[in-house]
Amino acid sequence: MSGELLRLRPIAHASPTDTGLHVRGWASSFSLDGGKGLWTLWQRLAGPLTTGVPPEQLTVPEHAPPAVAAALELIIGQLHEHDLLVRVPASWDADGPPEHIARWLESVAEKPARAWELLCEGTVAVVGSGALAAGAHRALTATGLAVPPVEPGPGLLLVCGGHAVAAGCAADVGFVVAPGKRGDVLADAEAVAHRLDGSAGEPPEVLAVLVGSAAAHRLVCAVAELPDPAREVVNMWRDSVPPGPVHQPVFVARTDPLRGEYHPWLSAVRPVSPDGRVVEVLGDAELGPVPAPETEDLPQLPVKLARSGDAVGFGTTEQSARLDAMLRAAHRLAPDTAVVGADRVHALGLALRTAARSLPGTPVEPDTWQTDPTARRWWKAVVLRFALPAEVEVERLGDEVVRAVVRSGGVELSWAIEASAADAVAFAAMAAAGRAQAGEARPAAARVGAPAADRADVGGAVAAAAVAAEARAGGAKVTAGLARGGAVAGRAEVEPVVLSGAFPVEEPNTAGVPWTERAWYWPYGLRDGEEALQSRLQQLLGMTEVKQVALGPVLQAAGLVAFAVPEVGR
């Protein structure tokens, strides 16, 4: 029997509604309104489609009434549009795979026959031991693949041709890394096991079987050129739909209750840029190297605050605050000499600003910034909202290079270097207000510091609370240790906070709307002039090149960049 048949995917289901018909598949659905007669049409159409019809016969009958013809065209069109129809050979039922495998391939594969051919061409090697390997072996055998007996070995490794999947299972947690080359998946498996740090001991059989079956599923999909299961997963633990596919997904399973979910991973051997999802990846609850940035009970006015562990980030939006907090926490994973940024522009801007911080300047008249709504807003937050007896020193370092420093009671709270006096004051004042705001949030929390530019020394912390308290009392200095990587480096003063226009800010919804103005979405748009500002800073510092610092493979895979702070005059 030659030719092809067009079938309704087994995953498609339909139900009548009061006004028509609702059809749903695995990832999409559609509803049609037009009366209860639509359900009758569906029943007559679905029967032949379940068995399969030649593609050329899936047409509207020639003498069908106009209303019926229009309804059939609409139904057939929607089935095509939502990918609920699939082509199979006419001999598929007789010469194809077992029925349960055939139905699965019809549900997920673009070309079921081709997928089955690929599966039949290879032999799967299973290397492992215990219930983990046994579970994977049973799952692979159930697909009809050629699977020799299990070879002894650590963890679990599945290999078929050029495809491999590695997995592991501790007493309380198991995982499956993304398919790839044998060496890559083994390296990823070792790193994931280290990150998860599971309890020693034999895993419960139910956990081992779940992990082994998930590994088999991922390998089968890779061999058959089907979408990885991570791209088809339905998240049962959250109400919101994920923004996109999980970055380099690793399946992580736990017990009490038994559950499994795909988590983003930063692979050192298979680095892929997270494409703007660095906060989600670096702060993942299971596999992220830093704590997930949260707003928790931190106050959100006037400055947006977020906390990653004991590092606090500042911003004009929650998204910016979360990224800022994550960068401050990630800095502890970087070399001591590094100034870490979200990207090259950000990191270089921080390094140049830090180097230019001590350059001599000439005073700038207050009128140059006091008429700016943004600068005035943040300065009022410092002196009115938080009642700090603060002063701001504004100096011009060069052509369109201005430094602003906020002090209170002899303590330097923050500083900024920008192209205009208004922007410099606005950033410095926002940082000072954020310090006071974070200090009032949790005065008993553990202190945290930042040895480099654009890193806060407050984490809703003792340090910030002390700064605010001594500033209000006219105190001269605050003494605190700055924690980094678990060690405490003694310093005479709390490091001032610096925020800058080099920071990547998401585009607000109001950007470019005619009736809005700069103050509505500041600091968005400042990065457009960052390259020119950095060129002027390099001229002032007398340098042509800034040394980039190598980060570890995890931070580098996340897209973070670091530069060494240049010495003035070199």
Side-chain angles (χ1 to χ4, degrees), residues 401-431:
V401 180
V402 182
R403 177 182 60 220
V405 182
V406 175
R407 298 183 180 89
S408 182
V411 178
E412 184 176 326
L413 302 181
S414 58
W415 62 274
I417 294 178
E418 297 298 329
S420 71
D423 287 327
V425 171
F427 276 118
M430 183 174 73

Side-chain angles (χ1 to χ4, degrees), residues 238-273:
R238 296 181 179 88
D239 293 334
S240 59
V241 178
V246 179
H247 181 75
Q248 293 185 292
V250 171
F251 179 78
V252 178
R254 290 188 179 272
T255 55
D256 299 325
L258 182 65
R259 61 198 184 276
E261 190 175 6
Y262 286 94
H263 290 264
W265 171 246
L266 287 166
S267 172
V269 293
R270 296 183 281 178
V272 178
S273 172

Side-chain angles (χ1 to χ4, degrees), residues 72-324:
L72 283 173
E73 286 182 359
L74 186 58
I75 294 174
I76 294 171
Q78 288 295 301
L79 290 175
H80 280 293
E81 183 175 336
H82 290 268
D83 193 28
L84 295 178
L85 298 176
V86 63
R87 291 175 181 261
V88 297
S91 59
W92 178 246
D93 289 342
D95 303 332
E99 184 178 0
H100 66 287
I101 300 299
R103 299 296 86 80
W104 172 62
L105 291 176
E106 290 172 18
S107 296
V108 301
E110 181 181 358
K111 298 179 179 179
R114 174 56 181 162
W116 179 242
E117 288 178 7
L118 292 171
L119 290 174
C120 292
E121 289 173 358
T123 298
V124 182
V126 180
V127 181
S129 60
L132 179 62
H137 191 277
R138 282 197 303 271
L140 290 167
T141 303
T143 64
L145 300 180
V147 188
V150 176
E151 302 175 24
L156 176 65
L157 176 66
L158 309 179
V159 181
C160 183
H163 304 281
V165 171
C169 203
D172 56 348
V173 62
F175 65 88
V176 182
V177 304
K181 297 179 180 179
R182 179 174 183 145
D184 292 345
V185 300
L186 288 174
D188 272 339
E190 182 179 358
V192 169
H194 179 73
R195 181 69 52 77
L196 290 173
D197 193 22
S199 301
E202 287 296 319
E205 184 175 3
V206 65
L207 179 63
V209 171
L210 173 60
V211 173
S213 299
H217 189 192
R218 297 193 82 168
L219 181 74
V220 168
C221 288
V223 172
E225 298 181 355
L226 301 175
D228 187 76
R231 302 182 67 90
E232 302 292 328
V233 68
V234 175
N235 195 328
M236 299 182 294
W237 312 107
R238 296 181 179 88
D239 293 334
S240 59
V241 178
V246 179
H247 181 75
Q248 293 185 292
V250 171
F251 179 78
V252 178
R254 290 188 179 272
T255 55
D256 299 325
L258 182 65
R259 61 198 184 276
E261 190 175 6
Y262 286 94
H263 290 264
W265 171 246
L266 287 166
S267 172
V269 293
R270 296 183 281 178
V272 178
S273 172
D275 294 331
R277 299 167 66 183
V278 63
V279 173
E280 171 192 328
V281 176
L282 279 179
D284 180 70
E286 288 282 7
L287 300 175
V290 301
E294 301 290 348
T295 56
E296 294 182 340
D297 56 351
L298 293 172
Q300 297 299 311
L301 290 175
V303 185
K304 298 295 184 183
L305 303 179
R307 177 181 287 111
S308 176
D310 55 3
V312 165
F314 309 92
T316 56
T317 65
E318 180 180 333
Q319 184 173 342
S320 292
R322 285 165 53 84
L323 176 58
D324 189 47

Side-chain angles (χ1 to χ4, degrees), residues 38-56:
L38 287 175
W39 177 247
T40 302
L41 284 178
W42 170 261
Q43 290 177 308
R44 294 185 178 180
L45 182 64
L49 281 177
T50 301
T51 305
V53 299
E56 64 276 8

Side-chain angles (χ1 to χ4, degrees), residues 13 87 135 167 259 335-336 348 370 380 454 521 530 553:
H13 298 279
R87 291 175 181 261
R259 61 198 184 276
D336 291 338
L348 182 58
Q370 287 180 343
K380 287 169 64 177
D454 202 31
Y521 44 80
E530 181 64 20

Side-chain angles (χ1 to χ4, degrees), residues 496-509:
V497 181
V498 56
L499 302 175
S500 76
F503 188 87
V505 180
E506 71 277 10
E507 182 176 358
N509 295 332

